[in-house]
Amino acid sequence: MKYFGYIQLIVLVLFIWLGWQIIDKMAFREEMITPLEAALLSAKNNRKELEKVLCHYQKNPADSLKYKAACFLIENMPFYTYSDGEQLENYKSYYAWLKVCKNKTPQQISDSVEKVFGPMKEPVKKRDILEIDSAYLCHNIDWAFKVWQEQSWGKNISFDTFCEYLLPYRIDDEPLTYWRETYYEKYNSLLDSLRISDTLDKEDPVVVAKYLMARLPDKQTLYTSIAPFSFGHVGPEFVQYQVGSCRELTDFEIYLFRALGIPCAIDYLSARGDVNASHFWVIVWDKDGEGYMSDFMTKLIRVRKCDLYRWGGSAKIYRYTFSVNRELHEQMAQYGEKVYPFWRIPKFKDTTYDYAYSYQKELVIPLEKQYRNVRNGKIAYLCASNRDHWIPVDWTVYDAGHLAFRYVRNGAVLRVATYEDGALHFLTDPFYTDREANETYFYSVGKEKKEVVLYAKTNIDGENWFRDRMIGGVFEGSNRTDFGEKDTLFIIQSRPDRLNTTVKSWSDKEYRYIRYVGPPNAHCNVSEIAFYEKNDTAALSGKIIGTPGCWEHDGTHEYTNAFDGRTWTSFDYSEPTGGWTGLDLGRKIRIDRIVYTPRNRDNFVRPGDDYELFYCDRDWKSGGKIKSASDSLVFRNIPENALLFLRNYTRGVDERIFVYEKGNQRWK
């Protein structure tokens, strides 16, 4: 009996051990479930459609790569959604109208769309993993392989590159459509002469991409950030019009290149260091792996030789991928906190180094520059500015003793924060990373107070080309309607200062007809002109005369704008040379002085508008409110060394942070 009891005990122990082994294996299996299995589980009733695709490519050993490609697409499919609805598609007619309505502004067309189709209702959200059928997925895979294998440059494209940058059936959140065959049939013939060429390198994807872009039948693009609805990516049908924002122009190139077997990607910055905007552009690689970028449908330029983003001061640049960056997700997930939305499903990778010009391999935030109140967050975010807001563009572990970010491009104003309870909590004052000296300067408010004189609410340096277009312009007087005999009243020999420049007339004669003639290749760009008699405070009036026709062909920038009393409208003649605008005074008058305003984007201080100045002292604090009485504002008792922000409550949203140094606004 004792022996029998001993055997029973052994058996019982073995059963217990085996049970634990089964439990451990089940737990291990659940823990180690593959991305493909996870995707199929999330497909629910649509799982059979996806399994059809996998079975289809498993039958033939020759389709082994297609099977792997199908696995790649399916395992990343759960992370994609799109909006759907008839009203949404109606609103996208905006892009077709924008292409053909030459006599209306984008805002007028946007308003027309809303009027015709009525208010936009909230679109229905759909998930790829629940909607995609086997026919759609197989069609995409077969066409992707077709263009990869049939083109001579395909031999220089690896399978990994193919999967990530040529195979994907979508860009991001656009509707699901059959686009590959449509684009192929429309544009493939443009490469016929390249295929028979004996001089061009037909095995280099960049050579092919440049050749294709040069031969597009329609090279006319129209950039505008205006849209009747926040669409996201609008899809392959509507981007063919090549109108809209940088997103639409970039998306067209992506569809075009991928449909013809040229792998490409979208590079992206969420916050530029010089203006309040994000930006997208296309990246393509040559047969040696060297990157070339195309911005706003312009020609491809080698990234390492491109100056475009050297001045932009964007701290970080990312590349969109179809696959989820699981490694990055796991790195951030280990800290057990809710991450900033940009990193929740990271379908991108950091490519800042590819664009490195002036950068810091390790940007260290000294302990003495950090606020003393320690935050609970375990992740620290590097934030760039957009108006008076801050946008996280990079992350690191929050270690006050060694708070450091890697590969940060210089030239931007930044600050560090944690993300807790759905809000940013700052750890530092704003600071600037200098491009030339490679040094970091903190904008911590000082005890001394000073007076500041302000002329604009955002960076007007970018408008220098408008002001330069007046150099060489001539003011003339005549007593003949055709100006057959004329005298020079003044020649503009230097860049206008700002909003209004006043000059004395060179002539003491009397004239009935007076005008401004723009210099060559300047489209007679001028915003406002005023002629005065001696001791008069009111500008002379008369019949407005000039050369009709504006570059926009919509009547918005005609010659009459130069005398409408509004500095925010302008003349933009339809031809580069020959434009002029002036007055028929109705009688002969001696001109004493002339006041002129260069074309501008209405960011100068405007009389009658309400303004408030803010300075950054941990949070934004008010430095006072003023109703402007002239083209400048004076604020007193503003802390020295402060980062500033001027808000116009009357009009516009184009406002940018700045500092006040040596009596001038320095934009950041």
Side-chain angles (χ1 to χ4, degrees), residues 481-512:
T481 56
D482 61 357
F483 284 84
E485 295 178 1
K486 57 184 180 291
D487 293 323
T488 298
L489 305 183
F490 186 79
I491 299 176
I492 301 174
Q493 301 177 66
S494 61
R495 177 187 292 171
D497 294 332
R498 53 178 198 272
L499 193 61
N500 294 317
T501 300
T502 302
V503 296
K504 295 286 288 184
S505 172
W506 292 349
S507 175
D508 59 2
K509 297 180 182 179
E510 294 183 342
Y511 305 98
R512 174 174 173 172

PDB file of all heavy atoms in Angstrom, residues 481-512:
ATOM      1  N   THR A 481      -1.827 111.744 -72.189  1.00  0.00           N
ATOM      2  CA  THR A 481      -2.439 110.511 -71.691  1.00  0.00           C
ATOM      3  C   THR A 481      -1.593 109.283 -71.999  1.00  0.00           C
ATOM      4  O   THR A 481      -1.655 108.295 -71.272  1.00  0.00           O
ATOM      5  CB  THR A 481      -3.836 110.319 -72.312  1.00  0.00           C
ATOM      6  OG1 THR A 481      -3.728 110.332 -73.741  1.00  0.00           O
ATOM      7  CG2 THR A 481      -4.782 111.416 -71.856  1.00  0.00           C
ATOM      8  N   ASP A 482      -0.805 109.349 -73.099  1.00  0.00           N
ATOM      9  CA  ASP A 482       0.014 108.193 -73.465  1.00  0.00           C
ATOM     10  C   ASP A 482       1.420 108.268 -72.873  1.00  0.00           C
ATOM     11  O   ASP A 482       2.258 107.414 -73.149  1.00  0.00           O
ATOM     12  CB  ASP A 482       0.101 108.046 -74.981  1.00  0.00           C
ATOM     13  CG  ASP A 482       0.757 109.270 -75.641  1.00  0.00           C
ATOM     14  OD1 ASP A 482       1.094 110.251 -74.925  1.00  0.00           O
ATOM     15  OD2 ASP A 482       0.925 109.226 -76.878  1.00  0.00           O
ATOM     16  N   PHE A 483       1.685 109.287 -72.066  1.00  0.00           N
ATOM     17  CA  PHE A 483       3.008 109.493 -71.463  1.00  0.00           C
ATOM     18  C   PHE A 483       4.102 109.540 -72.529  1.00  0.00           C
ATOM     19  O   PHE A 483       5.235 109.125 -72.308  1.00  0.00           O
ATOM     20  CB  PHE A 483       3.312 108.396 -70.426  1.00  0.00           C
ATOM     21  CG  PHE A 483       2.576 108.577 -69.127  1.00  0.00           C
ATOM     22  CD1 PHE A 483       1.264 108.113 -68.981  1.00  0.00           C
ATOM     23  CD2 PHE A 483       3.177 109.213 -68.056  1.00  0.00           C
ATOM     24  CE1 PHE A 483       0.570 108.284 -67.799  1.00  0.00           C
ATOM     25  CE2 PHE A 483       2.493 109.391 -66.858  1.00  0.00           C
ATOM     26  CZ  PHE A 483       1.175 108.926 -66.727  1.00  0.00           C
ATOM     27  N   GLY A 484       3.729 110.046 -73.714  1.00  0.00           N
ATOM     28  CA  GLY A 484       4.718 110.193 -74.782  1.00  0.00           C
ATOM     29  C   GLY A 484       5.831 111.153 -74.382  1.00  0.00           C
ATOM     30  O   GLY A 484       6.980 111.007 -74.805  1.00  0.00           O
ATOM     31  N   GLU A 485       5.482 112.166 -73.618  1.00  0.00           N
ATOM     32  CA  GLU A 485       6.474 113.059 -73.019  1.00  0.00           C
ATOM     33  C   GLU A 485       6.289 112.980 -71.502  1.00  0.00           C
ATOM     34  O   GLU A 485       5.184 113.163 -70.995  1.00  0.00           O
ATOM     35  CB  GLU A 485       6.266 114.497 -73.501  1.00  0.00           C
ATOM     36  CG  GLU A 485       6.508 114.680 -74.992  1.00  0.00           C
ATOM     37  CD  GLU A 485       6.240 116.116 -75.439  1.00  0.00           C
ATOM     38  OE1 GLU A 485       5.880 116.944 -74.559  1.00  0.00           O
ATOM     39  OE2 GLU A 485       6.385 116.390 -76.635  1.00  0.00           O
ATOM     40  N   LYS A 486       7.360 112.691 -70.800  1.00  0.00           N
ATOM     41  CA  LYS A 486       7.222 112.461 -69.360  1.00  0.00           C
ATOM     42  C   LYS A 486       8.497 112.891 -68.646  1.00  0.00           C
ATOM     43  O   LYS A 486       9.573 113.001 -69.234  1.00  0.00           O
ATOM     44  CB  LYS A 486       6.960 110.979 -69.088  1.00  0.00           C
ATOM     45  CG  LYS A 486       8.029 110.031 -69.626  1.00  0.00           C
ATOM     46  CD  LYS A 486       7.642 108.583 -69.409  1.00  0.00           C
ATOM     47  CE  LYS A 486       8.712 107.635 -69.934  1.00  0.00           C
ATOM     48  NZ  LYS A 486       8.818 107.649 -71.411  1.00  0.00           N
ATOM     49  N   ASP A 487       8.345 113.139 -67.346  1.00  0.00           N
ATOM     50  CA  ASP A 487       9.475 113.473 -66.473  1.00  0.00           C
ATOM     51  C   ASP A 487       9.529 112.463 -65.338  1.00  0.00           C
ATOM     52  O   ASP A 487       8.496 111.912 -64.918  1.00  0.00           O
ATOM     53  CB  ASP A 487       9.318 114.881 -65.891  1.00  0.00           C
ATOM     54  CG  ASP A 487       9.413 115.959 -66.960  1.00  0.00           C
ATOM     55  OD1 ASP A 487      10.217 115.792 -67.900  1.00  0.00           O
ATOM     56  OD2 ASP A 487       8.664 116.958 -66.848  1.00  0.00           O
ATOM     57  N   THR A 488      10.727 112.266 -64.853  1.00  0.00           N
ATOM     58  CA  THR A 488      10.912 111.353 -63.729  1.00  0.00           C
ATOM     59  C   THR A 488      10.703 112.105 -62.415  1.00  0.00           C
ATOM     60  O   THR A 488      11.364 113.115 -62.154  1.00  0.00           O
ATOM     61  CB  THR A 488      12.320 110.731 -63.757  1.00  0.00           C
ATOM     62  OG1 THR A 488      12.468 109.964 -64.950  1.00  0.00           O
ATOM     63  CG2 THR A 488      12.538 109.830 -62.550  1.00  0.00           C
ATOM     64  N   LEU A 489       9.787 111.594 -61.608  1.00  0.00           N
ATOM     65  CA  LEU A 489       9.545 112.185 -60.295  1.00  0.00           C
ATOM     66  C   LEU A 489      10.436 111.564 -59.218  1.00  0.00           C
ATOM     67  O   LEU A 489      10.862 112.239 -58.288  1.00  0.00           O
ATOM     68  CB  LEU A 489       8.079 112.012 -59.894  1.00  0.00           C
ATOM     69  CG  LEU A 489       7.019 112.540 -60.869  1.00  0.00           C
ATOM     70  CD1 LEU A 489       5.625 112.352 -60.277  1.00  0.00           C
ATOM     71  CD2 LEU A 489       7.272 114.001 -61.192  1.00  0.00           C
ATOM     72  N   PHE A 490      10.698 110.261 -59.364  1.00  0.00           N
ATOM     73  CA  PHE A 490      11.564 109.584 -58.394  1.00  0.00           C
ATOM     74  C   PHE A 490      11.877 108.182 -58.911  1.00  0.00           C
ATOM     75  O   PHE A 490      11.041 107.539 -59.550  1.00  0.00           O
ATOM     76  CB  PHE A 490      10.886 109.483 -57.019  1.00  0.00           C
ATOM     77  CG  PHE A 490      11.765 108.929 -55.937  1.00  0.00           C
ATOM     78  CD1 PHE A 490      12.711 109.741 -55.321  1.00  0.00           C
ATOM     79  CD2 PHE A 490      11.668 107.601 -55.547  1.00  0.00           C
ATOM     80  CE1 PHE A 490      13.544 109.226 -54.321  1.00  0.00           C
ATOM     81  CE2 PHE A 490      12.484 107.082 -54.555  1.00  0.00           C
ATOM     82  CZ  PHE A 490      13.423 107.902 -53.935  1.00  0.00           C
ATOM     83  N   ILE A 491      13.081 107.703 -58.635  1.00  0.00           N
ATOM     84  CA  ILE A 491      13.476 106.322 -58.931  1.00  0.00           C
ATOM     85  C   ILE A 491      13.803 105.620 -57.616  1.00  0.00           C
ATOM     86  O   ILE A 491      14.601 106.118 -56.812  1.00  0.00           O
ATOM     87  CB  ILE A 491      14.710 106.262 -59.860  1.00  0.00           C
ATOM     88  CG1 ILE A 491      14.408 106.947 -61.198  1.00  0.00           C
ATOM     89  CG2 ILE A 491      15.123 104.807 -60.094  1.00  0.00           C
ATOM     90  CD1 ILE A 491      15.620 107.020 -62.127  1.00  0.00           C
ATOM     91  N   ILE A 492      13.191 104.480 -57.374  1.00  0.00           N
ATOM     92  CA  ILE A 492      13.453 103.709 -56.150  1.00  0.00           C
ATOM     93  C   ILE A 492      14.788 102.994 -56.314  1.00  0.00           C
ATOM     94  O   ILE A 492      14.950 102.148 -57.198  1.00  0.00           O
ATOM     95  CB  ILE A 492      12.319 102.698 -55.888  1.00  0.00           C
ATOM     96  CG1 ILE A 492      10.985 103.423 -55.739  1.00  0.00           C
ATOM     97  CG2 ILE A 492      12.619 101.868 -54.641  1.00  0.00           C
ATOM     98  CD1 ILE A 492       9.789 102.503 -55.632  1.00  0.00           C
ATOM     99  N   GLN A 493      15.747 103.333 -55.466  1.00  0.00           N
ATOM    100  CA  GLN A 493      17.104 102.806 -55.619  1.00  0.00           C
ATOM    101  C   GLN A 493      17.507 101.831 -54.512  1.00  0.00           C
ATOM    102  O   GLN A 493      18.589 101.255 -54.571  1.00  0.00           O
ATOM    103  CB  GLN A 493      18.097 103.972 -55.663  1.00  0.00           C
ATOM    104  CG  GLN A 493      17.809 104.939 -56.809  1.00  0.00           C
ATOM    105  CD  GLN A 493      18.734 106.128 -56.805  1.00  0.00           C
ATOM    106  OE1 GLN A 493      19.945 105.997 -57.016  1.00  0.00           O
ATOM    107  NE2 GLN A 493      18.180 107.307 -56.551  1.00  0.00           N
ATOM    108  N   SER A 494      16.654 101.658 -53.521  1.00  0.00           N
ATOM    109  CA  SER A 494      16.969 100.730 -52.436  1.00  0.00           C
ATOM    110  C   SER A 494      15.688 100.078 -51.928  1.00  0.00           C
ATOM    111  O   SER A 494      14.581 100.548 -52.209  1.00  0.00           O
ATOM    112  CB  SER A 494      17.678 101.454 -51.282  1.00  0.00           C
ATOM    113  OG  SER A 494      16.846 102.475 -50.745  1.00  0.00           O
ATOM    114  N   ARG A 495      15.836  99.014 -51.174  1.00  0.00           N
ATOM    115  CA  ARG A 495      14.698  98.272 -50.660  1.00  0.00           C
ATOM    116  C   ARG A 495      13.871  99.146 -49.715  1.00  0.00           C
ATOM    117  O   ARG A 495      14.415  99.749 -48.786  1.00  0.00           O
ATOM    118  CB  ARG A 495      15.185  97.038 -49.912  1.00  0.00           C
ATOM    119  CG  ARG A 495      14.082  96.210 -49.270  1.00  0.00           C
ATOM    120  CD  ARG A 495      14.658  95.105 -48.411  1.00  0.00           C
ATOM    121  NE  ARG A 495      15.337  94.107 -49.227  1.00  0.00           N
ATOM    122  CZ  ARG A 495      16.084  93.119 -48.716  1.00  0.00           C
ATOM    123  NH1 ARG A 495      16.251  93.037 -47.406  1.00  0.00           N
ATOM    124  NH2 ARG A 495      16.667  92.247 -49.514  1.00  0.00           N
ATOM    125  N   PRO A 496      12.542  99.223 -49.907  1.00  0.00           N
ATOM    126  CA  PRO A 496      11.694  99.971 -48.967  1.00  0.00           C
ATOM    127  C   PRO A 496      11.839  99.420 -47.550  1.00  0.00           C
ATOM    128  O   PRO A 496      12.008  98.209 -47.355  1.00  0.00           O
ATOM    129  CB  PRO A 496      10.284  99.740 -49.502  1.00  0.00           C
ATOM    130  CG  PRO A 496      10.475  99.412 -50.948  1.00  0.00           C
ATOM    131  CD  PRO A 496      11.768  98.660 -51.032  1.00  0.00           C
ATOM    132  N   ASP A 497      11.741 100.317 -46.577  1.00  0.00           N
ATOM    133  CA  ASP A 497      11.969  99.927 -45.190  1.00  0.00           C
ATOM    134  C   ASP A 497      10.904  98.973 -44.674  1.00  0.00           C
ATOM    135  O   ASP A 497      11.190  97.870 -44.248  1.00  0.00           O
ATOM    136  CB  ASP A 497      12.025 101.165 -44.291  1.00  0.00           C
ATOM    137  CG  ASP A 497      13.242 102.029 -44.600  1.00  0.00           C
ATOM    138  OD1 ASP A 497      14.242 101.465 -45.062  1.00  0.00           O
ATOM    139  OD2 ASP A 497      13.161 103.245 -44.388  1.00  0.00           O
ATOM    140  N   ARG A 498       9.679  99.424 -44.643  1.00  0.00           N
ATOM    141  CA  ARG A 498       8.617  98.583 -44.118  1.00  0.00           C
ATOM    142  C   ARG A 498       7.307  98.988 -44.784  1.00  0.00           C
ATOM    143  O   ARG A 498       7.227  98.989 -46.015  1.00  0.00           O
ATOM    144  CB  ARG A 498       8.544  98.665 -42.593  1.00  0.00           C
ATOM    145  CG  ARG A 498       8.440 100.065 -42.000  1.00  0.00           C
ATOM    146  CD  ARG A 498       8.336  99.982 -40.470  1.00  0.00           C
ATOM    147  NE  ARG A 498       7.828 101.198 -39.878  1.00  0.00           N
ATOM    148  CZ  ARG A 498       8.584 102.213 -39.519  1.00  0.00           C
ATOM    149  NH1 ARG A 498       9.894 102.152 -39.703  1.00  0.00           N
ATOM    150  NH2 ARG A 498       8.040 103.289 -38.971  1.00  0.00           N
ATOM    151  N   LEU A 499       6.292  99.350 -43.980  1.00  0.00           N
ATOM    152  CA  LEU A 499       4.967  99.552 -44.547  1.00  0.00           C
ATOM    153  C   LEU A 499       4.888 100.768 -45.465  1.00  0.00           C
ATOM    154  O   LEU A 499       4.391 100.686 -46.583  1.00  0.00           O
ATOM    155  CB  LEU A 499       3.946  99.689 -43.405  1.00  0.00           C
ATOM    156  CG  LEU A 499       2.477  99.592 -43.813  1.00  0.00           C
ATOM    157  CD1 LEU A 499       2.189  98.242 -44.442  1.00  0.00           C
ATOM    158  CD2 LEU A 499       1.581  99.806 -42.597  1.00  0.00           C
ATOM    159  N   ASN A 500       5.370 101.921 -45.003  1.00  0.00           N
ATOM    160  CA  ASN A 500       5.277 103.144 -45.796  1.00  0.00           C
ATOM    161  C   ASN A 500       6.639 103.812 -45.927  1.00  0.00           C
ATOM    162  O   ASN A 500       7.344 103.996 -44.931  1.00  0.00           O
ATOM    163  CB  ASN A 500       4.301 104.137 -45.146  1.00  0.00           C
ATOM    164  CG  ASN A 500       2.875 103.621 -45.145  1.00  0.00           C
ATOM    165  OD1 ASN A 500       2.415 103.079 -46.135  1.00  0.00           O
ATOM    166  ND2 ASN A 500       2.186 103.776 -44.028  1.00  0.00           N
ATOM    167  N   THR A 501       6.992 104.171 -47.146  1.00  0.00           N
ATOM    168  CA  THR A 501       8.220 104.925 -47.409  1.00  0.00           C
ATOM    169  C   THR A 501       7.822 106.244 -48.073  1.00  0.00           C
ATOM    170  O   THR A 501       7.099 106.249 -49.069  1.00  0.00           O
ATOM    171  CB  THR A 501       9.162 104.138 -48.340  1.00  0.00           C
ATOM    172  OG1 THR A 501       9.500 102.891 -47.715  1.00  0.00           O
ATOM    173  CG2 THR A 501      10.436 104.931 -48.602  1.00  0.00           C
ATOM    174  N   THR A 502       8.296 107.358 -47.524  1.00  0.00           N
ATOM    175  CA  THR A 502       7.969 108.686 -48.051  1.00  0.00           C
ATOM    176  C   THR A 502       9.197 109.300 -48.705  1.00  0.00           C
ATOM    177  O   THR A 502      10.282 109.314 -48.117  1.00  0.00           O
ATOM    178  CB  THR A 502       7.484 109.611 -46.923  1.00  0.00           C
ATOM    179  OG1 THR A 502       6.344 109.018 -46.291  1.00  0.00           O
ATOM    180  CG2 THR A 502       7.094 110.978 -47.473  1.00  0.00           C
ATOM    181  N   VAL A 503       9.036 109.826 -49.932  1.00  0.00           N
ATOM    182  CA  VAL A 503      10.144 110.449 -50.663  1.00  0.00           C
ATOM    183  C   VAL A 503       9.669 111.770 -51.271  1.00  0.00           C
ATOM    184  O   VAL A 503       8.475 111.969 -51.510  1.00  0.00           O
ATOM    185  CB  VAL A 503      10.684 109.521 -51.777  1.00  0.00           C
ATOM    186  CG1 VAL A 503      11.283 108.254 -51.178  1.00  0.00           C
ATOM    187  CG2 VAL A 503       9.586 109.170 -52.783  1.00  0.00           C
ATOM    188  N   LYS A 504      10.598 112.674 -51.512  1.00  0.00           N
ATOM    189  CA  LYS A 504      10.302 113.964 -52.143  1.00  0.00           C
ATOM    190  C   LYS A 504      10.366 113.821 -53.665  1.00  0.00           C
ATOM    191  O   LYS A 504      11.206 113.093 -54.205  1.00  0.00           O
ATOM    192  CB  LYS A 504      11.302 115.016 -51.676  1.00  0.00           C
ATOM    193  CG  LYS A 504      11.224 115.349 -50.193  1.00  0.00           C
ATOM    194  CD  LYS A 504      10.013 116.190 -49.849  1.00  0.00           C
ATOM    195  CE  LYS A 504      10.156 117.612 -50.349  1.00  0.00           C
ATOM    196  NZ  LYS A 504       9.024 118.474 -49.932  1.00  0.00           N
ATOM    197  N   SER A 505       9.466 114.501 -54.346  1.00  0.00           N
ATOM    198  CA  SER A 505       9.481 114.502 -55.807  1.00  0.00           C
ATOM    199  C   SER A 505      10.696 115.276 -56.312  1.00  0.00           C
ATOM    200  O   SER A 505      11.077 116.308 -55.749  1.00  0.00           O
ATOM    201  CB  SER A 505       8.205 115.135 -56.355  1.00  0.00           C
ATOM    202  OG  SER A 505       8.287 115.300 -57.753  1.00  0.00           O
ATOM    203  N   TRP A 506      11.311 114.767 -57.381  1.00  0.00           N
ATOM    204  CA  TRP A 506      12.485 115.423 -57.963  1.00  0.00           C
ATOM    205  C   TRP A 506      12.094 116.577 -58.891  1.00  0.00           C
ATOM    206  O   TRP A 506      12.952 117.345 -59.315  1.00  0.00           O
ATOM    207  CB  TRP A 506      13.307 114.412 -58.759  1.00  0.00           C
ATOM    208  CG  TRP A 506      13.966 113.358 -57.912  1.00  0.00           C
ATOM    209  CD1 TRP A 506      14.066 113.345 -56.564  1.00  0.00           C
ATOM    210  CD2 TRP A 506      14.616 112.174 -58.387  1.00  0.00           C
ATOM    211  NE1 TRP A 506      14.738 112.229 -56.140  1.00  0.00           N
ATOM    212  CE2 TRP A 506      15.092 111.482 -57.252  1.00  0.00           C
ATOM    213  CE3 TRP A 506      14.838 111.613 -59.650  1.00  0.00           C
ATOM    214  CZ2 TRP A 506      15.792 110.268 -57.349  1.00  0.00           C
ATOM    215  CZ3 TRP A 506      15.526 110.420 -59.745  1.00  0.00           C
ATOM    216  CH2 TRP A 506      16.003 109.750 -58.610  1.00  0.00           C
ATOM    217  N   SER A 507      10.833 116.677 -59.245  1.00  0.00           N
ATOM    218  CA  SER A 507      10.397 117.682 -60.222  1.00  0.00           C
ATOM    219  C   SER A 507       9.538 118.758 -59.558  1.00  0.00           C
ATOM    220  O   SER A 507       8.750 118.473 -58.655  1.00  0.00           O
ATOM    221  CB  SER A 507       9.602 117.005 -61.346  1.00  0.00           C
ATOM    222  OG  SER A 507       9.065 117.964 -62.238  1.00  0.00           O
ATOM    223  N   ASP A 508       9.687 120.007 -60.031  1.00  0.00           N
ATOM    224  CA  ASP A 508       8.846 121.102 -59.524  1.00  0.00           C
ATOM    225  C   ASP A 508       7.795 121.528 -60.546  1.00  0.00           C
ATOM    226  O   ASP A 508       7.167 122.575 -60.412  1.00  0.00           O
ATOM    227  CB  ASP A 508       9.708 122.293 -59.116  1.00  0.00           C
ATOM    228  CG  ASP A 508      10.550 122.822 -60.275  1.00  0.00           C
ATOM    229  OD1 ASP A 508      10.427 122.276 -61.396  1.00  0.00           O
ATOM    230  OD2 ASP A 508      11.326 123.763 -60.053  1.00  0.00           O
ATOM    231  N   LYS A 509       7.606 120.696 -61.595  1.00  0.00           N
ATOM    232  CA  LYS A 509       6.605 120.998 -62.620  1.00  0.00           C
ATOM    233  C   LYS A 509       5.229 120.487 -62.198  1.00  0.00           C
ATOM    234  O   LYS A 509       5.097 119.712 -61.262  1.00  0.00           O
ATOM    235  CB  LYS A 509       7.008 120.363 -63.955  1.00  0.00           C
ATOM    236  CG  LYS A 509       8.311 120.896 -64.540  1.00  0.00           C
ATOM    237  CD  LYS A 509       8.608 120.201 -65.859  1.00  0.00           C
ATOM    238  CE  LYS A 509       9.926 120.663 -66.461  1.00  0.00           C
ATOM    239  NZ  LYS A 509      10.225 119.966 -67.743  1.00  0.00           N
ATOM    240  N   GLU A 510       4.236 120.920 -62.967  1.00  0.00           N
ATOM    241  CA  GLU A 510       2.861 120.467 -62.723  1.00  0.00           C
ATOM    242  C   GLU A 510       2.464 119.426 -63.773  1.00  0.00           C
ATOM    243  O   GLU A 510       2.814 119.554 -64.952  1.00  0.00           O
ATOM    244  CB  GLU A 510       1.895 121.647 -62.768  1.00  0.00           C
ATOM    245  CG  GLU A 510       2.099 122.640 -61.638  1.00  0.00           C
ATOM    246  CD  GLU A 510       1.074 123.762 -61.689  1.00  0.00           C
ATOM    247  OE1 GLU A 510       0.452 123.953 -62.772  1.00  0.00           O
ATOM    248  OE2 GLU A 510       0.883 124.440 -60.667  1.00  0.00           O
ATOM    249  N   TYR A 511       1.713 118.380 -63.307  1.00  0.00           N
ATOM    250  CA  TYR A 511       1.313 117.295 -64.209  1.00  0.00           C
ATOM    251  C   TYR A 511      -0.140 116.911 -63.948  1.00  0.00           C
ATOM    252  O   TYR A 511      -0.611 116.933 -62.807  1.00  0.00           O
ATOM    253  CB  TYR A 511       2.194 116.060 -63.990  1.00  0.00           C
ATOM    254  CG  TYR A 511       3.674 116.338 -64.111  1.00  0.00           C
ATOM    255  CD1 TYR A 511       4.445 116.551 -62.963  1.00  0.00           C
ATOM    256  CD2 TYR A 511       4.286 116.402 -65.358  1.00  0.00           C
ATOM    257  CE1 TYR A 511       5.796 116.807 -63.065  1.00  0.00           C
ATOM    258  CE2 TYR A 511       5.649 116.668 -65.470  1.00  0.00           C
ATOM    259  CZ  TYR A 511       6.395 116.874 -64.320  1.00  0.00           C
ATOM    260  OH  TYR A 511       7.738 117.148 -64.427  1.00  0.00           O
ATOM    261  N   ARG A 512      -0.798 116.528 -65.031  1.00  0.00           N
ATOM    262  CA  ARG A 512      -2.161 116.006 -64.886  1.00  0.00           C
ATOM    263  C   ARG A 512      -2.127 114.487 -64.675  1.00  0.00           C
ATOM    264  O   ARG A 512      -2.945 113.943 -63.941  1.00  0.00           O
ATOM    265  CB  ARG A 512      -2.998 116.338 -66.121  1.00  0.00           C
ATOM    266  CG  ARG A 512      -4.381 115.680 -66.088  1.00  0.00           C
ATOM    267  CD  ARG A 512      -5.269 116.113 -67.232  1.00  0.00           C
ATOM    268  NE  ARG A 512      -6.509 115.327 -67.251  1.00  0.00           N
ATOM    269  CZ  ARG A 512      -7.550 115.555 -68.034  1.00  0.00           C
ATOM    270  NH1 ARG A 512      -7.501 116.576 -68.906  1.00  0.00           N
ATOM    271  NH2 ARG A 512      -8.627 114.799 -67.968  1.00  0.00           N
TER     272      ARG A 512
END
